[in-house]
Structures are given as structure tokens and as C-alpha cells.
Amino acid sequence: MEKREELYAGKAKSVFKTDDPNLFVLEFRDDTSAFDGEKKEQLQRKGMVNNKFNAFIMEKLEAAGIPTHFEGLLSDTESLVKNLDMIPVECVVRNVSAGSLCRRLGVEEGKELTPPTFELFLKNDALHDPMVNESLAVSFGWASADELARMKELTYKVNDVLKALFDEAGMLLVDYKLEFGRSNGAVVLGDEFSPDGCRIWDKETRKKMDKDRFRQGLGEVIETYEEVGGRLGIQFD
Ligand code: ADP
Ligand code: UDP
């Protein structure tokens, strides 16, 4: 496999073509952003930590029957993935109230949500990722009704797998965001699952162990990501 030209660079990762049109290289950079790119910093080791974290989680999800784009690790900061036609709608599941849900509805942080909630957001930084619904997604042609049903089914299935995984390691999976794409007509999980795109709290102390450490200036961001990984049994060095 030969790495070819860069196709696009997002806020934290870059996508490269390869000599195989079906495969891309996903490079995890140290760039870290929050508030739709308003707050930006380089955090040393983040690219490596998130690349290896994501590889571990994607392998767990594949093993549980969830189709993912992940093909394998290429280096500390690069993974080989399937070329997906990305669906511009983000899927969020919440087990506990936090973040934009609290701001939007005026509820306090930390309320258990039973059953877990499911939300859709349009991937559009300029518009601050507005909340949308299935009807809008279908009418604007972002995804078909069948695709949306599959995305919802898979997003909840991920919750079953990962809630248990974090729980066994003494952590609470508060919420997370997933992105899906199309490959040969099927809906496949793309992008990444790392502490950058989810909320994780220590079960006992409720210490924040995710990107809220960066958003809220709590410090020890990458050290804490590594602590989460360590508890799950991920080897970073
Ligand atoms: P953002 O777009 O939010 O700034 P990133 O920096 O993470 O995010 O950029 C990664 C980009 O790559 C995103 O636009 C994401 O949708 C896209 N992407 C992720 N996985 C794949 C894939 N398998 N095929 C094509 N594009 C992908
Ligand atoms: N999230 C993300 N990317 C986004 C928006 C949200 O990864 O563009 C994640 C976020 O880290 C959290 C979950 O999705 O784990 C729910 O985010 P929320 O809607 O509460 O928004 P935020 O507080 O991040 O603005």
C-alpha cells in the first residue's frame, strides 16, 4: 500500500488517498480544537494516543458485529481505513446529561437518562453543528430513511458494547458522537472513537476524563486520555 496525496485536512485528522481507491490513510494530528474551532492548541502525543485508542475501540466494535472502516494501524499516528462516502449527520447518544443538552434544556449535569437519548446534528462548523431531525435529513437528502434507521440501530449497539467496557474499567460513558459513511451500499462506522468525541467520568469520583478537560481548561488532558486507555488495557508505548 502506497500513501498518496492529501484529500482533505479536518481540525484534528487528515485523510490521504492510497494506490487502492477503496482505502484511505487517516492521520491523527496533535491539533486539538473546541467550540467549533474557536479554541485551538497542539497537545503533544495526542495524535498517537487517539490513533491507538481508536484502533482498540474499533476492533472491539468489529468483534461485536458493528461494521467499521478500520483496517489496521500503519504507524503511531496513522491508520488504514475504508474510503467512505461520509454522511454529514452526527449521531449522539447520551446516558447522562452534560454539555449542549444542559445548555439547551436548562437541566443540571449528571442526570441519568433512561432510556439513553439519541440526537442528530448537522456536521457544519459555520452553523455550529445545529440539531436536526430525521425528517430534515431525508428531505435535504443527507441520508435516506433506511440509512438513518441503521445509523440509529448501530449507534445504540455501540452503546451496549462500550457502556459495559467502560463500566468494567471503573468509568462511566456519559455521551458520545459517531459519524457514519457509505461503502458498497452499506452503512459503516467511520471517523474515530476517542476521548475527543465522547464524555467519560470516573465512576466513583466523577472526574472528567475526556475533551472537557481541554474545553474547561482542567489540565492534564493527554495524561488523562492515557489513564483511560491504561484502564482499558491499551498499550501506548
Ligand atoms: P472535522 O471534519 O470535524 O474537522 P477531523 O479533523 O476529525 O474532523 O477530520 C476528519 C475528516 O475525515 C472528517 O471530515 C470525517 O468526516 C472524515 N472521515 C473520517 N473517516 C473517513 C473515511 N473512512 N472516509 C472518508 N472520510 C472520512
Ligand atoms: N461531539 C463531538 N463533536 C462535535 C459535537 C459533539 O465529538 O462536533 C461529542 C462531544 O464530545 C460529546 C457529545 O458529542 O461527547 C455530545 O456533545 P454535546 O452535544 O453535548 O456538545 P458540546 O458540549 O461538545 O458542545
Side-chain angles (χ1 to χ4, degrees), residues 90 92 94 98-101 103 121 129 175-177 196-199 215:
E90 303 182 338
V92 170
R94 300 177 196 268
S100 75
L101 181 74
R103 294 195 295 276
F121 296 90
D129 292 354
D175 59 31
Y176 56 90
K177 180 267 300 178
D196 265 7
C198 66
R199 289 191 170 91
R215 292 190 189 96

PDB file of all heavy atoms in Angstrom, residues 90 92 94 98-101 103 121 129 175-177 196-199 215, ligand 2:
ATOM      1  N   GLU A  90     -24.191  13.878  12.403  1.00  0.00           N
ATOM      2  CA  GLU A  90     -23.546  13.246  13.554  1.00  0.00           C
ATOM      3  C   GLU A  90     -24.609  12.626  14.463  1.00  0.00           C
ATOM      4  O   GLU A  90     -25.655  13.231  14.702  1.00  0.00           O
ATOM      5  CB  GLU A  90     -22.761  14.295  14.352  1.00  0.00           C
ATOM      6  CG  GLU A  90     -21.721  15.014  13.517  1.00  0.00           C
ATOM      7  CD  GLU A  90     -20.886  16.026  14.299  1.00  0.00           C
ATOM      8  OE1 GLU A  90     -21.349  16.499  15.363  1.00  0.00           O
ATOM      9  OE2 GLU A  90     -19.777  16.325  13.848  1.00  0.00           O
ATOM     10  N   VAL A  92     -25.541  11.286  18.203  1.00  0.00           N
ATOM     11  CA  VAL A  92     -25.119  11.403  19.605  1.00  0.00           C
ATOM     12  C   VAL A  92     -26.062  10.597  20.496  1.00  0.00           C
ATOM     13  O   VAL A  92     -27.282  10.756  20.416  1.00  0.00           O
ATOM     14  CB  VAL A  92     -25.097  12.887  20.062  1.00  0.00           C
ATOM     15  CG1 VAL A  92     -24.907  13.010  21.569  1.00  0.00           C
ATOM     16  CG2 VAL A  92     -23.995  13.654  19.323  1.00  0.00           C
ATOM     17  N   ARG A  94     -26.719   9.751  24.603  1.00  0.00           N
ATOM     18  CA  ARG A  94     -26.378  10.224  25.957  1.00  0.00           C
ATOM     19  C   ARG A  94     -26.948   9.280  27.002  1.00  0.00           C
ATOM     20  O   ARG A  94     -28.146   8.969  26.972  1.00  0.00           O
ATOM     21  CB  ARG A  94     -26.982  11.605  26.209  1.00  0.00           C
ATOM     22  CG  ARG A  94     -26.524  12.673  25.256  1.00  0.00           C
ATOM     23  CD  ARG A  94     -27.234  13.996  25.546  1.00  0.00           C
ATOM     24  NE  ARG A  94     -27.091  14.906  24.434  1.00  0.00           N
ATOM     25  CZ  ARG A  94     -26.107  15.806  24.321  1.00  0.00           C
ATOM     26  NH1 ARG A  94     -25.185  15.895  25.238  1.00  0.00           N
ATOM     27  NH2 ARG A  94     -26.061  16.608  23.272  1.00  0.00           N
ATOM     28  N   ALA A  98     -25.178  16.215  30.026  1.00  0.00           N
ATOM     29  CA  ALA A  98     -23.946  17.024  30.058  1.00  0.00           C
ATOM     30  C   ALA A  98     -23.954  17.900  28.799  1.00  0.00           C
ATOM     31  O   ALA A  98     -24.792  17.729  27.908  1.00  0.00           O
ATOM     32  CB  ALA A  98     -22.695  16.137  30.070  1.00  0.00           C
ATOM     33  N   GLY A  99     -22.999  18.827  28.738  1.00  0.00           N
ATOM     34  CA  GLY A  99     -22.739  19.591  27.524  1.00  0.00           C
ATOM     35  C   GLY A  99     -23.921  20.355  26.977  1.00  0.00           C
ATOM     36  O   GLY A  99     -24.662  20.997  27.716  1.00  0.00           O
ATOM     37  N   SER A 100     -24.101  20.254  25.661  1.00  0.00           N
ATOM     38  CA  SER A 100     -25.105  21.085  24.987  1.00  0.00           C
ATOM     39  C   SER A 100     -26.521  20.758  25.436  1.00  0.00           C
ATOM     40  O   SER A 100     -27.409  21.606  25.370  1.00  0.00           O
ATOM     41  CB  SER A 100     -24.985  20.950  23.463  1.00  0.00           C
ATOM     42  OG  SER A 100     -25.501  19.724  23.013  1.00  0.00           O
ATOM     43  N   LEU A 101     -26.753  19.535  25.895  1.00  0.00           N
ATOM     44  CA  LEU A 101     -28.098  19.172  26.366  1.00  0.00           C
ATOM     45  C   LEU A 101     -28.478  20.033  27.573  1.00  0.00           C
ATOM     46  O   LEU A 101     -29.607  20.534  27.667  1.00  0.00           O
ATOM     47  CB  LEU A 101     -28.134  17.684  26.753  1.00  0.00           C
ATOM     48  CG  LEU A 101     -29.492  17.174  27.234  1.00  0.00           C
ATOM     49  CD1 LEU A 101     -30.456  17.015  26.068  1.00  0.00           C
ATOM     50  CD2 LEU A 101     -29.353  15.852  27.968  1.00  0.00           C
ATOM     51  N   ARG A 103     -27.151  22.980  28.353  1.00  0.00           N
ATOM     52  CA  ARG A 103     -27.294  24.387  27.939  1.00  0.00           C
ATOM     53  C   ARG A 103     -28.638  24.606  27.246  1.00  0.00           C
ATOM     54  O   ARG A 103     -29.320  25.595  27.475  1.00  0.00           O
ATOM     55  CB  ARG A 103     -26.153  24.768  26.969  1.00  0.00           C
ATOM     56  CG  ARG A 103     -24.762  24.752  27.611  1.00  0.00           C
ATOM     57  CD  ARG A 103     -23.739  25.486  26.747  1.00  0.00           C
ATOM     58  NE  ARG A 103     -23.490  24.845  25.468  1.00  0.00           N
ATOM     59  CZ  ARG A 103     -22.630  23.837  25.283  1.00  0.00           C
ATOM     60  NH1 ARG A 103     -21.935  23.355  26.302  1.00  0.00           N
ATOM     61  NH2 ARG A 103     -22.445  23.309  24.085  1.00  0.00           N
ATOM     62  N   PHE A 121     -27.159  15.793  14.633  1.00  0.00           N
ATOM     63  CA  PHE A 121     -26.654  17.148  14.402  1.00  0.00           C
ATOM     64  C   PHE A 121     -26.071  17.211  12.997  1.00  0.00           C
ATOM     65  O   PHE A 121     -25.397  16.264  12.563  1.00  0.00           O
ATOM     66  CB  PHE A 121     -25.552  17.501  15.410  1.00  0.00           C
ATOM     67  CG  PHE A 121     -26.039  17.550  16.840  1.00  0.00           C
ATOM     68  CD1 PHE A 121     -26.009  16.412  17.638  1.00  0.00           C
ATOM     69  CD2 PHE A 121     -26.541  18.735  17.369  1.00  0.00           C
ATOM     70  CE1 PHE A 121     -26.468  16.456  18.953  1.00  0.00           C
ATOM     71  CE2 PHE A 121     -26.993  18.786  18.682  1.00  0.00           C
ATOM     72  CZ  PHE A 121     -26.960  17.641  19.476  1.00  0.00           C
ATOM     73  N   ASP A 129     -22.852  23.250  14.053  1.00  0.00           N
ATOM     74  CA  ASP A 129     -23.467  21.912  14.115  1.00  0.00           C
ATOM     75  C   ASP A 129     -24.894  21.941  14.673  1.00  0.00           C
ATOM     76  O   ASP A 129     -25.167  21.403  15.755  1.00  0.00           O
ATOM     77  CB  ASP A 129     -22.615  20.967  14.988  1.00  0.00           C
ATOM     78  CG  ASP A 129     -21.280  20.623  14.364  1.00  0.00           C
ATOM     79  OD1 ASP A 129     -21.038  21.005  13.203  1.00  0.00           O
ATOM     80  OD2 ASP A 129     -20.483  19.957  15.039  1.00  0.00           O
ATOM     81  N   ASP A 175     -21.617  10.295  27.245  1.00  0.00           N
ATOM     82  CA  ASP A 175     -22.197  10.510  25.909  1.00  0.00           C
ATOM     83  C   ASP A 175     -21.100  10.339  24.855  1.00  0.00           C
ATOM     84  O   ASP A 175     -19.916  10.222  25.197  1.00  0.00           O
ATOM     85  CB  ASP A 175     -22.876  11.894  25.790  1.00  0.00           C
ATOM     86  CG  ASP A 175     -21.930  13.058  26.041  1.00  0.00           C
ATOM     87  OD1 ASP A 175     -20.724  12.943  25.751  1.00  0.00           O
ATOM     88  OD2 ASP A 175     -22.387  14.097  26.544  1.00  0.00           O
ATOM     89  N   TYR A 176     -21.492  10.299  23.594  1.00  0.00           N
ATOM     90  CA  TYR A 176     -20.501  10.168  22.516  1.00  0.00           C
ATOM     91  C   TYR A 176     -21.139  10.537  21.192  1.00  0.00           C
ATOM     92  O   TYR A 176     -22.365  10.492  21.037  1.00  0.00           O
ATOM     93  CB  TYR A 176     -19.901   8.760  22.432  1.00  0.00           C
ATOM     94  CG  TYR A 176     -20.929   7.673  22.260  1.00  0.00           C
ATOM     95  CD1 TYR A 176     -21.341   7.261  20.997  1.00  0.00           C
ATOM     96  CD2 TYR A 176     -21.508   7.075  23.362  1.00  0.00           C
ATOM     97  CE1 TYR A 176     -22.291   6.273  20.845  1.00  0.00           C
ATOM     98  CE2 TYR A 176     -22.471   6.090  23.217  1.00  0.00           C
ATOM     99  CZ  TYR A 176     -22.856   5.701  21.955  1.00  0.00           C
ATOM    100  OH  TYR A 176     -23.814   4.733  21.810  1.00  0.00           O
ATOM    101  N   LYS A 177     -20.255  10.863  20.234  1.00  0.00           N
ATOM    102  CA  LYS A 177     -20.682  11.234  18.877  1.00  0.00           C
ATOM    103  C   LYS A 177     -20.101  10.238  17.890  1.00  0.00           C
ATOM    104  O   LYS A 177     -18.915   9.884  17.979  1.00  0.00           O
ATOM    105  CB  LYS A 177     -20.170  12.637  18.585  1.00  0.00           C
ATOM    106  CG  LYS A 177     -20.503  13.189  17.224  1.00  0.00           C
ATOM    107  CD  LYS A 177     -19.473  12.959  16.153  1.00  0.00           C
ATOM    108  CE  LYS A 177     -18.127  13.544  16.415  1.00  0.00           C
ATOM    109  NZ  LYS A 177     -17.148  13.254  15.341  1.00  0.00           N
ATOM    110  N   ASP A 196     -11.709  12.416  22.528  1.00  0.00           N
ATOM    111  CA  ASP A 196     -12.027  13.701  21.885  1.00  0.00           C
ATOM    112  C   ASP A 196     -13.506  13.807  21.529  1.00  0.00           C
ATOM    113  O   ASP A 196     -14.010  14.927  21.377  1.00  0.00           O
ATOM    114  CB  ASP A 196     -11.234  13.847  20.574  1.00  0.00           C
ATOM    115  CG  ASP A 196      -9.943  14.621  20.766  1.00  0.00           C
ATOM    116  OD1 ASP A 196      -9.599  14.933  21.921  1.00  0.00           O
ATOM    117  OD2 ASP A 196      -9.283  14.907  19.747  1.00  0.00           O
ATOM    118  N   GLY A 197     -14.180  12.684  21.345  1.00  0.00           N
ATOM    119  CA  GLY A 197     -15.554  12.718  20.835  1.00  0.00           C
ATOM    120  C   GLY A 197     -16.559  12.068  21.756  1.00  0.00           C
ATOM    121  O   GLY A 197     -17.649  11.674  21.308  1.00  0.00           O
ATOM    122  N   CYS A 198     -16.182  11.921  23.025  1.00  0.00           N
ATOM    123  CA  CYS A 198     -17.124  11.328  23.986  1.00  0.00           C
ATOM    124  C   CYS A 198     -16.889  11.963  25.349  1.00  0.00           C
ATOM    125  O   CYS A 198     -15.949  12.737  25.525  1.00  0.00           O
ATOM    126  CB  CYS A 198     -16.957   9.813  24.062  1.00  0.00           C
ATOM    127  SG  CYS A 198     -15.390   9.267  24.746  1.00  0.00           S
ATOM    128  N   ARG A 199     -17.752  11.655  26.289  1.00  0.00           N
ATOM    129  CA  ARG A 199     -17.508  12.064  27.680  1.00  0.00           C
ATOM    130  C   ARG A 199     -17.388  10.811  28.526  1.00  0.00           C
ATOM    131  O   ARG A 199     -18.225   9.898  28.413  1.00  0.00           O
ATOM    132  CB  ARG A 199     -18.628  12.969  28.206  1.00  0.00           C
ATOM    133  CG  ARG A 199     -18.621  14.349  27.598  1.00  0.00           C
ATOM    134  CD  ARG A 199     -19.554  15.328  28.313  1.00  0.00           C
ATOM    135  NE  ARG A 199     -19.322  16.687  27.833  1.00  0.00           N
ATOM    136  CZ  ARG A 199     -19.983  17.240  26.801  1.00  0.00           C
ATOM    137  NH1 ARG A 199     -20.932  16.554  26.177  1.00  0.00           N
ATOM    138  NH2 ARG A 199     -19.693  18.456  26.414  1.00  0.00           N
ATOM    139  N   ARG A 215     -11.705  21.644  26.979  1.00  0.00           N
ATOM    140  CA  ARG A 215     -12.725  22.706  26.837  1.00  0.00           C
ATOM    141  C   ARG A 215     -12.759  23.584  28.082  1.00  0.00           C
ATOM    142  O   ARG A 215     -12.864  24.797  27.996  1.00  0.00           O
ATOM    143  CB  ARG A 215     -14.132  22.091  26.657  1.00  0.00           C
ATOM    144  CG  ARG A 215     -14.357  21.348  25.362  1.00  0.00           C
ATOM    145  CD  ARG A 215     -15.839  21.008  25.191  1.00  0.00           C
ATOM    146  NE  ARG A 215     -16.073  20.111  24.077  1.00  0.00           N
ATOM    147  CZ  ARG A 215     -16.181  18.788  24.184  1.00  0.00           C
ATOM    148  NH1 ARG A 215     -16.102  18.199  25.374  1.00  0.00           N
ATOM    149  NH2 ARG A 215     -16.374  18.054  23.110  1.00  0.00           N
TER     150      ARG A 215
HETATM  151  N1  UDP B   2     -19.177  15.896  19.960  1.00  0.00           N
HETATM  152  C1  UDP B   2     -18.141  15.774  19.060  1.00  0.00           C
HETATM  153  N2  UDP B   2     -18.078  16.623  18.003  1.00  0.00           N
HETATM  154  C2  UDP B   2     -18.982  17.604  17.798  1.00  0.00           C
HETATM  155  C3  UDP B   2     -20.039  17.736  18.730  1.00  0.00           C
HETATM  156  C4  UDP B   2     -20.104  16.877  19.804  1.00  0.00           C
HETATM  157  O1  UDP B   2     -17.310  14.883  19.199  1.00  0.00           O
HETATM  158  O2  UDP B   2     -18.876  18.347  16.817  1.00  0.00           O
HETATM  159  C5  UDP B   2     -19.267  14.970  21.104  1.00  0.00           C
HETATM  160  C6  UDP B   2     -18.891  15.629  22.425  1.00  0.00           C
HETATM  161  O3  UDP B   2     -17.515  15.428  22.712  1.00  0.00           O
HETATM  162  C7  UDP B   2     -19.772  14.896  23.418  1.00  0.00           C
HETATM  163  C8  UDP B   2     -21.016  14.501  22.595  1.00  0.00           C
HETATM  164  O4  UDP B   2     -20.620  14.564  21.238  1.00  0.00           O
HETATM  165  O5  UDP B   2     -19.147  13.704  23.855  1.00  0.00           O
HETATM  166  C9  UDP B   2     -22.191  15.406  22.846  1.00  0.00           C
HETATM  167  O6  UDP B   2     -21.777  16.733  22.657  1.00  0.00           O
HETATM  168  P1  UDP B   2     -22.740  17.957  23.032  1.00  0.00           P
HETATM  169  O7  UDP B   2     -23.926  17.953  22.123  1.00  0.00           O
HETATM  170  O8  UDP B   2     -23.020  17.926  24.486  1.00  0.00           O
HETATM  171  O9  UDP B   2     -21.925  19.252  22.625  1.00  0.00           O
HETATM  172  P2  UDP B   2     -20.693  20.028  23.263  1.00  0.00           P
HETATM  173  O10 UDP B   2     -20.912  20.174  24.738  1.00  0.00           O
HETATM  174  O11 UDP B   2     -19.498  19.211  22.923  1.00  0.00           O
HETATM  175  O12 UDP B   2     -20.741  21.346  22.553  1.00  0.00           O
END
